[in-house]
Short mmCIF file of all heavy atoms in Angstrom, two decimals:
data_model
loop_
_atom_site.label_atom_id
_atom_site.label_comp_id
_atom_site.label_asym_id
_atom_site.label_seq_id
_atom_site.Cartn_x
_atom_site.Cartn_y
_atom_site.Cartn_z
N ALA A 1 16.45 16.68 2.05
CA ALA A 1 16.11 16.29 0.69
C ALA A 1 16.04 14.77 0.56
O ALA A 1 15.13 14.23 -0.09
CB ALA A 1 17.13 16.86 -0.28
N ARG A 2 17.01 14.07 1.17
CA ARG A 2 16.97 12.61 1.11
C ARG A 2 15.71 12.06 1.78
O ARG A 2 15.04 11.17 1.25
CB ARG A 2 18.21 12.02 1.78
CG ARG A 2 19.49 12.21 0.99
CD ARG A 2 20.67 11.54 1.69
NE ARG A 2 21.87 11.64 0.90
CZ ARG A 2 22.19 10.80 -0.08
NH1 ARG A 2 21.38 9.80 -0.36
NH2 ARG A 2 23.31 10.95 -0.75
N THR A 3 15.39 12.60 2.94
CA THR A 3 14.19 12.15 3.64
C THR A 3 12.94 12.47 2.83
O THR A 3 11.99 11.68 2.79
CB THR A 3 14.11 12.81 5.02
OG1 THR A 3 15.30 12.53 5.75
CG2 THR A 3 12.92 12.30 5.81
N GLY A 4 12.91 13.65 2.19
CA GLY A 4 11.75 14.02 1.38
C GLY A 4 11.54 13.07 0.22
O GLY A 4 10.40 12.65 -0.06
N LEU A 5 12.62 12.71 -0.48
CA LEU A 5 12.49 11.76 -1.58
C LEU A 5 12.04 10.39 -1.08
O LEU A 5 11.18 9.74 -1.70
CB LEU A 5 13.82 11.64 -2.33
CG LEU A 5 14.20 12.81 -3.25
CD1 LEU A 5 15.58 12.60 -3.82
CD2 LEU A 5 13.17 12.97 -4.36
N GLN A 6 12.62 9.95 0.04
CA GLN A 6 12.20 8.66 0.60
C GLN A 6 10.74 8.69 1.01
O GLN A 6 10.00 7.71 0.82
CB GLN A 6 13.09 8.31 1.79
CG GLN A 6 14.53 8.03 1.43
CD GLN A 6 15.41 7.85 2.65
OE1 GLN A 6 14.93 7.92 3.79
NE2 GLN A 6 16.71 7.62 2.43
N LEU A 7 10.30 9.82 1.57
CA LEU A 7 8.91 9.94 1.98
C LEU A 7 7.97 9.91 0.77
O LEU A 7 6.91 9.28 0.82
CB LEU A 7 8.71 11.25 2.76
CG LEU A 7 7.33 11.49 3.36
CD1 LEU A 7 6.98 10.41 4.35
CD2 LEU A 7 7.28 12.86 4.04
N MET A 8 8.37 10.57 -0.31
CA MET A 8 7.54 10.55 -1.52
C MET A 8 7.47 9.15 -2.12
O MET A 8 6.40 8.69 -2.54
CB MET A 8 8.09 11.55 -2.53
CG MET A 8 7.96 13.00 -2.10
SD MET A 8 8.75 14.14 -3.23
CE MET A 8 7.83 13.79 -4.71
N GLU A 9 8.62 8.45 -2.16
CA GLU A 9 8.62 7.07 -2.66
C GLU A 9 7.77 6.17 -1.77
O GLU A 9 7.02 5.32 -2.25
CB GLU A 9 10.05 6.56 -2.73
CG GLU A 9 10.92 7.28 -3.76
CD GLU A 9 12.37 6.86 -3.69
OE1 GLU A 9 12.68 6.03 -2.81
OE2 GLU A 9 13.18 7.36 -4.49
N ARG A 10 7.89 6.39 -0.46
CA ARG A 10 7.10 5.57 0.46
C ARG A 10 5.61 5.86 0.32
O ARG A 10 4.78 4.95 0.37
CB ARG A 10 7.55 5.85 1.91
CG ARG A 10 6.98 4.88 2.92
CD ARG A 10 7.40 5.25 4.31
NE ARG A 10 6.75 6.47 4.76
CZ ARG A 10 6.89 6.98 5.99
NH1 ARG A 10 7.68 6.37 6.86
NH2 ARG A 10 6.28 8.08 6.32
N THR A 11 5.25 7.13 0.12
CA THR A 11 3.84 7.48 -0.05
C THR A 11 3.26 6.82 -1.29
O THR A 11 2.14 6.29 -1.27
CB THR A 11 3.70 9.01 -0.14
OG1 THR A 11 4.23 9.61 1.04
CG2 THR A 11 2.25 9.40 -0.30
N ALA A 12 4.02 6.85 -2.40
CA ALA A 12 3.54 6.20 -3.62
C ALA A 12 3.40 4.69 -3.43
O ALA A 12 2.42 4.07 -3.88
CB ALA A 12 4.49 6.51 -4.77
N ARG A 13 4.39 4.09 -2.74
CA ARG A 13 4.32 2.65 -2.49
C ARG A 13 3.16 2.30 -1.58
O ARG A 13 2.46 1.30 -1.80
CB ARG A 13 5.65 2.19 -1.89
CG ARG A 13 5.72 0.71 -1.57
CD ARG A 13 7.16 0.28 -1.35
NE ARG A 13 7.85 1.19 -0.45
CZ ARG A 13 7.83 1.09 0.87
NH1 ARG A 13 7.12 0.11 1.43
NH2 ARG A 13 8.50 1.93 1.62
N HIS A 14 2.92 3.13 -0.57
CA HIS A 14 1.79 2.88 0.34
C HIS A 14 0.46 3.01 -0.38
O HIS A 14 -0.48 2.24 -0.12
CB HIS A 14 1.86 3.85 1.52
CG HIS A 14 2.96 3.55 2.47
ND1 HIS A 14 3.25 4.34 3.56
CD2 HIS A 14 3.87 2.53 2.51
CE1 HIS A 14 4.27 3.82 4.22
NE2 HIS A 14 4.66 2.73 3.59
N ALA A 15 0.35 4.00 -1.28
CA ALA A 15 -0.89 4.15 -2.03
C ALA A 15 -1.16 2.91 -2.88
O ALA A 15 -2.31 2.45 -3.00
CB ALA A 15 -0.81 5.39 -2.92
N LYS A 16 -0.10 2.33 -3.46
CA LYS A 16 -0.26 1.12 -4.25
C LYS A 16 -0.68 -0.06 -3.37
O LYS A 16 -1.55 -0.86 -3.75
CB LYS A 16 1.04 0.80 -4.98
CG LYS A 16 0.95 -0.39 -5.92
CD LYS A 16 2.27 -0.60 -6.66
CE LYS A 16 2.18 -1.79 -7.61
NZ LYS A 16 3.46 -2.03 -8.32
N LEU A 17 -0.09 -0.17 -2.18
CA LEU A 17 -0.46 -1.26 -1.26
C LEU A 17 -1.90 -1.12 -0.78
O LEU A 17 -2.62 -2.12 -0.66
CB LEU A 17 0.50 -1.27 -0.07
CG LEU A 17 1.92 -1.79 -0.34
CD1 LEU A 17 2.79 -1.58 0.88
CD2 LEU A 17 1.90 -3.26 -0.73
N VAL A 18 -2.33 0.12 -0.50
CA VAL A 18 -3.72 0.32 -0.08
C VAL A 18 -4.67 -0.06 -1.20
O VAL A 18 -5.73 -0.66 -0.97
CB VAL A 18 -3.93 1.79 0.36
CG1 VAL A 18 -5.39 2.08 0.59
CG2 VAL A 18 -3.14 2.07 1.64
N GLN A 19 -4.29 0.28 -2.44
CA GLN A 19 -5.12 -0.10 -3.58
C GLN A 19 -5.19 -1.62 -3.70
O GLN A 19 -6.26 -2.18 -3.98
CB GLN A 19 -4.55 0.51 -4.85
CG GLN A 19 -5.44 0.34 -6.08
CD GLN A 19 -4.90 1.08 -7.28
OE1 GLN A 19 -3.86 1.72 -7.20
NE2 GLN A 19 -5.60 0.99 -8.38
N GLU A 20 -4.06 -2.31 -3.49
CA GLU A 20 -4.08 -3.77 -3.51
C GLU A 20 -4.96 -4.32 -2.38
O GLU A 20 -5.65 -5.33 -2.58
CB GLU A 20 -2.66 -4.30 -3.39
CG GLU A 20 -1.77 -3.99 -4.58
CD GLU A 20 -0.34 -4.45 -4.37
OE1 GLU A 20 -0.05 -4.97 -3.27
OE2 GLU A 20 0.49 -4.30 -5.30
N ALA A 21 -4.91 -3.69 -1.22
CA ALA A 21 -5.74 -4.15 -0.10
C ALA A 21 -7.22 -3.99 -0.42
O ALA A 21 -8.04 -4.86 -0.10
CB ALA A 21 -5.38 -3.39 1.17
N GLU A 22 -7.58 -2.88 -1.05
CA GLU A 22 -8.99 -2.69 -1.41
C GLU A 22 -9.44 -3.71 -2.44
O GLU A 22 -10.56 -4.22 -2.39
CB GLU A 22 -9.18 -1.27 -1.94
CG GLU A 22 -9.01 -0.20 -0.87
CD GLU A 22 -9.14 1.19 -1.44
OE1 GLU A 22 -9.07 1.34 -2.68
OE2 GLU A 22 -9.32 2.12 -0.65
N THR A 23 -8.54 -4.04 -3.38
CA THR A 23 -8.88 -5.08 -4.36
C THR A 23 -9.06 -6.42 -3.66
O THR A 23 -9.97 -7.20 -4.00
CB THR A 23 -7.76 -5.17 -5.42
OG1 THR A 23 -7.60 -3.90 -6.03
CG2 THR A 23 -8.11 -6.20 -6.48
N ALA A 24 -8.19 -6.71 -2.66
CA ALA A 24 -8.32 -7.96 -1.92
C ALA A 24 -9.62 -8.02 -1.13
O ALA A 24 -10.25 -9.09 -1.03
CB ALA A 24 -7.12 -8.13 -0.98
N VAL A 25 -10.06 -6.89 -0.58
CA VAL A 25 -11.33 -6.86 0.15
C VAL A 25 -12.49 -7.16 -0.78
O VAL A 25 -13.42 -7.92 -0.43
CB VAL A 25 -11.51 -5.50 0.85
CG1 VAL A 25 -12.92 -5.36 1.40
CG2 VAL A 25 -10.51 -5.36 1.98
N ARG A 26 -12.44 -6.58 -1.98
CA ARG A 26 -13.53 -6.84 -2.93
C ARG A 26 -13.56 -8.31 -3.36
O ARG A 26 -14.61 -8.84 -3.71
CB ARG A 26 -13.38 -5.93 -4.15
CG ARG A 26 -13.74 -4.48 -3.87
CD ARG A 26 -13.87 -3.69 -5.15
NE ARG A 26 -12.56 -3.48 -5.78
CZ ARG A 26 -11.81 -2.42 -5.55
NH1 ARG A 26 -12.23 -1.48 -4.72
NH2 ARG A 26 -10.64 -2.28 -6.16
N LYS A 27 -12.37 -8.97 -3.32
CA LYS A 27 -12.31 -10.38 -3.67
C LYS A 27 -12.52 -11.29 -2.46
O LYS A 27 -12.28 -12.50 -2.55
CB LYS A 27 -10.94 -10.68 -4.30
CG LYS A 27 -10.73 -10.01 -5.65
CD LYS A 27 -9.35 -10.37 -6.21
CE LYS A 27 -9.11 -9.71 -7.56
NZ LYS A 27 -7.76 -10.04 -8.10
N LYS A 28 -12.92 -10.71 -1.31
CA LYS A 28 -13.15 -11.45 -0.07
C LYS A 28 -11.87 -12.08 0.48
O LYS A 28 -11.91 -13.05 1.24
CB LYS A 28 -14.21 -12.54 -0.26
CG LYS A 28 -15.50 -12.07 -0.87
CD LYS A 28 -16.20 -11.04 -0.01
CE LYS A 28 -17.53 -10.61 -0.60
NZ LYS A 28 -18.19 -9.55 0.21
N ASP A 29 -10.71 -11.52 0.12
CA ASP A 29 -9.42 -12.01 0.63
C ASP A 29 -9.00 -11.11 1.79
O ASP A 29 -8.19 -10.20 1.65
CB ASP A 29 -8.38 -11.99 -0.48
CG ASP A 29 -7.03 -12.55 -0.03
OD1 ASP A 29 -6.98 -13.14 1.08
OD2 ASP A 29 -6.04 -12.40 -0.77
N GLU A 30 -9.56 -11.39 2.97
CA GLU A 30 -9.30 -10.53 4.12
C GLU A 30 -7.85 -10.67 4.59
O GLU A 30 -7.23 -9.67 4.98
CB GLU A 30 -10.25 -10.89 5.26
CG GLU A 30 -10.10 -9.99 6.48
CD GLU A 30 -11.11 -10.31 7.56
OE1 GLU A 30 -12.16 -10.91 7.24
OE2 GLU A 30 -10.84 -9.97 8.72
N ASP A 31 -7.29 -11.88 4.55
CA ASP A 31 -5.91 -12.06 4.99
C ASP A 31 -4.94 -11.28 4.11
O ASP A 31 -3.99 -10.66 4.60
CB ASP A 31 -5.55 -13.55 4.97
CG ASP A 31 -6.33 -14.34 6.01
OD1 ASP A 31 -6.77 -13.71 7.00
OD2 ASP A 31 -6.50 -15.56 5.84
N GLY A 32 -5.15 -11.30 2.79
CA GLY A 32 -4.30 -10.53 1.90
C GLY A 32 -4.39 -9.04 2.14
O GLY A 32 -3.39 -8.32 2.10
N ALA A 33 -5.63 -8.56 2.40
CA ALA A 33 -5.82 -7.14 2.67
C ALA A 33 -5.12 -6.74 3.97
O ALA A 33 -4.45 -5.70 4.03
CB ALA A 33 -7.31 -6.82 2.75
N ARG A 34 -5.24 -7.56 4.99
CA ARG A 34 -4.60 -7.23 6.27
C ARG A 34 -3.08 -7.26 6.14
O ARG A 34 -2.37 -6.45 6.77
CB ARG A 34 -5.06 -8.20 7.36
CG ARG A 34 -6.49 -7.98 7.82
CD ARG A 34 -6.87 -8.94 8.94
NE ARG A 34 -8.21 -8.70 9.42
CZ ARG A 34 -8.53 -7.83 10.37
NH1 ARG A 34 -7.56 -7.12 10.94
NH2 ARG A 34 -9.77 -7.67 10.77
N SER A 35 -2.54 -8.18 5.36
CA SER A 35 -1.09 -8.25 5.18
C SER A 35 -0.57 -6.97 4.52
O SER A 35 0.45 -6.41 4.95
CB SER A 35 -0.74 -9.46 4.32
OG SER A 35 0.65 -9.51 4.07
N ALA A 36 -1.27 -6.49 3.48
CA ALA A 36 -0.85 -5.25 2.82
C ALA A 36 -0.98 -4.05 3.75
O ALA A 36 -0.10 -3.17 3.80
CB ALA A 36 -1.66 -5.03 1.55
#
């Protein structure tokens, strides 16, 4: 159960980071996208 909750929190956080990376790509910020 602990691992499942951590995995769900991590999945949500990763989805947010991927969204930030896509926004950085659209802004031509390749370094920011790669960091995320």
Side-chain angles (χ1 to χ4, degrees):
R2 288 183 177 276
T3 304
L5 285 176
Q6 293 173 0
L7 184 61
M8 293 175 60
E9 294 173 358
R10 190 183 70 176
T11 302
R13 179 164 48 86
H14 288 176
K16 185 178 180 181
L17 287 173
V18 171
Q19 187 174 0
E20 293 176 357
E22 291 177 344
T23 303
V25 170
R26 286 193 289 268
K27 293 180 180 179
K28 308 298 183 183
D29 183 11
E30 183 177 339
D31 293 336
R34 287 182 178 273
S35 177

